[in-house]
């Protein structure tokens, strides 16, 4: 039995997403990223005596949006609790979080992996404030602290121990990032730390149901690192179990320079955070009407939009899924689809050459300047055999992406309109055949693969303007006479 068959990995993820509100969770300090250190820090963020926090309603709305998108039950009776611990970048000595009343309970996130679809079960989504940032690599002898981030609203999305491979975790975080961006509640930027993931991993004998001892790898800042850290941990724990050694419950950190993890502390028992309701913040009650209003405001969700693209435009599931990578991509598709009904061709153009161009330029879809009407005109040129697809994508598109010009005019100016005038084509075909008598003999003896050579010859003689489909038909007619 392979180790793969013998053991089963169990994974639960905690994802922190910074909410894209303009101000902090409990005061008006700006949340903008990249400001001078310690310039967005009022006495309320520092928790000075006499200050009073008050709750940012936008943050509450954003948390509910995510909960509704993840099929959670929304908690109507909420309060904030103080989670007490000491840390240099935690200026108040406690973090305001939710304890017994997470704003969203249960729910699930659907992922699509190589083995099919799966609903990853959520435990909860709760609201809390972020800590400041300790910077260890700025000064040789000191740690610097930037408190700008302290008090920024976060949601923490906690799954059940419901995933079983690094691949599932990879798809889950990808889906979470897509969802928060889709809802416009977080920019999803993992490099800037707007989205961070802690991975909890344990391993047990396949077929058993009790959970093994878990390790927690903290602060993974890319989806790739989530996958690499989990792969490394599964392997490490399996090796320990094989040697009969005990797995220590640990908090670990990931080293991206060699894709390994290392222990930062042993966690023998649960920390005692002395949670208690924050006496400065009144409990808050969400009315049914308030929640219903937020539900109304949700955009069409990715799964709904995918289903609609399939039903309305006859797209396959793969194309629909890819077009729903982001709202701007799907919207662009739908605008182009108003101009031409070659829907499959629109999807191919967007997901092929256009996406490739944007990737190369490291731009996202919102940066695309190609007018939907121009793309549809380009598609029509190909569909009506005026220009071949390869010429359209390699010669016309690069120019159209840079400059707003009429595709037909451009193709005409560049002499790229294909000739499908029968007489002219026939003349080129005759010339090509006369020029290669030996090849004609070989072809007639059965070397049918030579057709490409003849087509190439006609292309050359026509300076690329002969319609290759028509040329092939003509050549076959002549050669098989
Ligand atoms: P902690 O108190 O250590 O943060 P929680 O019970 O709150 O632990 O769970 C945190 C995350 O760890 C959740 O996503 C949960 O699903 C996951 N988890 C808990 N136990 C295990 C386990 N034995 N193996 C894998 N994941 C686990
Ligand atoms: Mg934890």
């Amino acid at each position: 039995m392979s180790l793969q068959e013998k053991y089963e990995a169990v994974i639960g993820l905690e994802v922190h997403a910074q909410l894209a509100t303009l101000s902090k969770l409990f005061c008006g300090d700006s949340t903008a990223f990249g400001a001078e250190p310690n310039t967005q820090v009022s006495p309320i963020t520092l928790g000075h005596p006499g200050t009073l926090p008050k709750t940012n309603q936008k943050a509450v709305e954003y948390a509910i949006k995510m909960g509704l998108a993840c099929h959670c039950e929304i908690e109507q009776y909420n309060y904030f609790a103080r989670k007490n611990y000491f840390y240099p970048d935690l200026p108040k000595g406690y973090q305001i979080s939710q304890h017994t009343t997470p704003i969203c309970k249960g729910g699930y996130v659907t992922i699509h992996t190589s083995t099919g679809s799966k609903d990853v079960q959520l435990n909860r989504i709760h609201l809390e404030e972020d800590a400041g940032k300790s910077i260890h690599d700025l000064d040789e002898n000191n740690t610097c602290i930037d408190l700008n981030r302290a008090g920024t609203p976060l949601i923490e999305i906690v799954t059940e121990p419901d995933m079983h491979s690094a691949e599932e975790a990879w798809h889950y975080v990808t889906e979470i990032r897509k969802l928060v961006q889709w809802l416009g509640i977080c920019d999803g930027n993992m490099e800037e730390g707007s989205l961070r993931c802690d991975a909890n991993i344990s391993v047990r004998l396949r077929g058993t149901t009790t959970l093994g001892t878990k390790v927690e790898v903290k602060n993974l800042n890319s989806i790739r690192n989530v996958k690499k850290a989990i792969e490394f941990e599964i392997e490490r724990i399996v090796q320990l179990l094989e040697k009969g050694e005990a797995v220590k419950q640990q908090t670990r950190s990931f080293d991206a320079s060699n894709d390994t993890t290392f222990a930062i502390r042993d966690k023998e028992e649960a920390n005692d955070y002395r949670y208690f309701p924050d006496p400065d913040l009144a409990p808050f009650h969400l009315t049914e009407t308030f929640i219903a209003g937020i539900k109304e405001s949700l955009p069409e969700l990715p799964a709904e939009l995918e289903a609609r693209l399939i039903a309305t435009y006859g797209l396959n599931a793969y194309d629909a899924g890819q077009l729903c990578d982001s709202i701007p991509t799907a919207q662009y598709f739908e605008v182009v689809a108003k101009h031409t009904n070659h829907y499959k061709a629109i999807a191919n153009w967007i997901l092929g050459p256009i996406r490739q161009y944007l990737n190369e330029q490291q731009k996202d879809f919102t940066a695309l300047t190609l007018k939907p009407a121009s793309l549809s005109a380009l598609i029509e040129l190909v569909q009506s055999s005026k220009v071949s697809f390869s010429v359209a994508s390699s010669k016309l598109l690069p120019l159209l992406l840079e400059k707003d010009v009429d595709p037909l005019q451009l193709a005409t100016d560049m002499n790229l309109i294909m000739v499908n005038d029968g007489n002219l084509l026939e003349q080129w075909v005759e010339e090509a055949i006369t020029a290669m008598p030996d090849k004609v003999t070989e072809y007639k003896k059965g070397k049918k693969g030579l057709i490409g050579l003849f087509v190439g010859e006609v292309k050359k003689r026509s300076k690329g303007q002969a319609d290759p489909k028509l040329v092939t038909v003509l050549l076959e007619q002549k050669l098989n006479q």
Side-chain angles (χ1 to χ4, degrees):
M1 198 198 303
S2 73
L3 293 178
Q4 258 267 347
E5 289 162 340
K6 184 171 173 188
Y7 294 107
E8 177 183 53
V10 177
I11 300 154
L13 297 182
E14 296 162 279
V15 173
H16 287 94
Q18 266 180 10
L19 298 177
T21 54
L22 295 175
S23 57
K24 292 186 181 177
L25 185 51
F26 299 112
C27 69
D29 291 348
S30 166
T31 55
F33 180 84
E36 276 290 296
N38 300 309
T39 54
Q40 294 166 178
V41 188
S42 65
I44 306 178
T45 286
L46 299 174
H48 281 182
T51 59
L52 274 180
K54 71 176 182 204
T55 306
N56 182 334
Q57 182 174 321
K58 250 301 161 294
V60 174
E61 287 175 22
Y62 283 2
I64 296 172
K65 278 191 176 184
M66 188 61 177
L68 292 171
C70 297
H71 317 274
C72 303
E73 183 193 330
I74 307 301
E75 174 67 70
Q76 288 186 261
Y77 293 91
N78 286 268
Y79 72 92
F80 283 106
R82 290 188 183 177
K83 180 179 179 181
N84 298 279
Y85 61 99
F86 173 77
Y87 211 77
D89 58 24
L90 189 72
K92 297 198 285 269
Y94 58 86
Q95 177 191 22
I96 305 179
S97 182
Q98 291 190 296
H99 187 214
T100 57
T101 61
I103 189 159
C104 314
K105 293 182 292 192
Y108 61 89
V109 172
T110 306
I111 57 170
H112 306 281
T113 68
S114 55
T115 52
S117 296
K118 164 172 179 166
D119 293 339
V120 176
Q121 299 301 312
L122 299 185
N123 173 286
R124 66 177 187 274
I125 302 175
H126 67 255
L127 262 170
E128 62 185 24
E129 57 177 350
D130 208 345
K133 212 187 299 182
S134 300
I135 304 157
H136 305 290
D137 54 5
L138 204 61
D139 185 304
E140 208 177 318
N141 301 313
N142 299 290
T143 289
C144 300
I145 305 225
D146 176 8
L147 293 176
N148 282 353
R149 197 178 71 178
T152 298
L154 297 176
I155 46 172
E156 179 174 343
I157 308 151
V158 184
T159 74
E160 293 294 345
D162 193 29
M163 283 168 275
H164 300 287
S165 68
E167 191 210 351
E168 284 187 355
W170 188 92
H171 283 285
Y172 171 80
V173 182
T174 304
E175 196 57 34
I176 290 288
R177 187 173 63 168
K178 173 168 135 184
L179 259 183
V180 294
Q181 290 174 332
W182 193 276
L183 297 170
I185 61 169
C186 167
D187 65 24
N189 188 331
M190 294 188 83
E191 291 75 49
E192 289 180 3
S194 313
L195 201 69
R196 315 191 282 273
C197 179
D198 302 339
N200 298 268
I201 304 133
S202 64
V203 175
R204 65 186 171 197
L205 283 174
R206 208 172 277 280
T208 60
T209 51
T210 43
L211 291 169
T213 305
K214 74 169 167 117
V215 294
E216 179 171 4
V217 187
K218 283 274 187 200
N219 276 327
L220 296 161
N221 64 355
S222 76
I223 300 183
R224 174 198 176 274
N225 290 356
V226 171
K227 182 160 174 278
K228 291 287 171 191
I230 293 172
E231 281 169 355
F232 179 82
E233 274 310 304
I234 294 175
E235 178 65 22
R236 189 184 68 83
I237 299 172
V238 164
Q239 291 309 325
L240 285 176
L241 294 174
E242 279 292 289
K243 285 189 276 185
E245 287 177 24
V247 181
K248 273 195 213 152
Q249 186 175 337
Q250 275 174 338
T251 303
R252 299 177 70 91
S253 189
F254 182 68
D255 181 351
S257 69
N258 55 11
D259 292 345
T260 61
T261 69
F262 57 94
I264 44 181
R265 59 180 175 266
D266 285 359
K267 201 171 176 183
E268 250 94 50
E269 59 214 51
N271 287 329
D272 183 357
Y273 291 115
R274 305 274 162 134
Y275 279 101
F276 63 86
D278 192 304
D280 290 339
L281 286 160
F284 59 102
H285 175 213
L286 305 171
T287 63
E288 302 265 5
T289 328
F290 182 72
I291 297 170
I294 293 172
K295 195 166 196 165
E296 275 300 290
S297 78
L298 285 181
E300 194 175 18
L301 295 174
E304 297 161 7
L305 182 52
E306 262 174 64
R308 192 168 62 72
L309 293 185
I310 293 170
T312 314
Y313 305 102
L315 296 178
N316 62 39
Y318 178 81
D319 287 350
Q322 295 290 308
L323 288 170
C324 291
D325 193 39
S326 74
I327 291 185
T329 314
Q331 278 176 343
Y332 189 82
F333 170 87
E334 290 215 89
V335 180
V336 182
K338 289 205 174 89
H339 292 87
T340 169
N341 56 9
H342 296 294
Y343 305 132
K344 173 66 184 160
I346 308 175
N348 289 349
W349 276 92
I350 291 178
L351 302 176
I354 293 178
R355 188 158 68 173
Q356 190 189 343
Y357 163 82
L358 290 171
N359 285 345
E360 282 164 9
Q361 305 273 316
Q362 298 191 332
K363 287 181 180 161
D364 68 24
F365 225 86
T366 51
L368 185 68
T369 52
L370 177 67
K371 293 226 169 77
S374 296
L375 178 56
S376 80
L378 193 59
I379 290 172
E380 291 296 342
L381 283 182
V382 176
Q383 294 295 332
S384 60
S385 292
K386 287 204 172 63
V387 178
S388 71
F389 173 77
S390 77
V391 166
S393 59
S394 66
K395 300 227 166 90
L396 296 177
L397 183 69
L399 297 169
L400 292 169
L401 285 166
E402 302 296 334
K403 218 167 71 185
D404 180 24
V405 282
D406 175 47
L408 176 59
Q409 190 62 49
L410 184 65
T412 311
D413 292 348
M414 291 173 75
N415 249 337
L416 294 174
I417 299 290
M418 284 197 292
V419 173
N420 38 28
D421 163 352
N423 290 336
L424 204 47
L425 289 182
E426 202 148 327
Q427 190 189 323
W428 284 322
V429 165
E430 284 294 349
E431 282 175 22
I433 290 177
T434 319
M436 300 187 286
D438 300 353
K439 302 291 172 200
V440 175
T441 317
E442 281 181 51
Y443 179 90
K444 290 198 167 165
K445 280 191 189 149
K447 241 183 147 182
K448 302 291 179 204
L450 285 173
I451 192 77
L453 191 76
F454 289 106
V455 177
E457 182 63 24
V458 174
K459 254 195 200 162
K460 229 188 286 166
R461 285 170 187 274
S462 71
K463 298 199 175 61
Q465 281 178 266
D467 179 340
K469 273 190 230 139
L470 293 178
V471 168
T472 309
V473 174
L474 267 178
L475 274 167
E476 278 170 352
Q477 274 172 10
K478 299 260 175 207
L479 289 168
N480 292 330
Q481 262 169 12

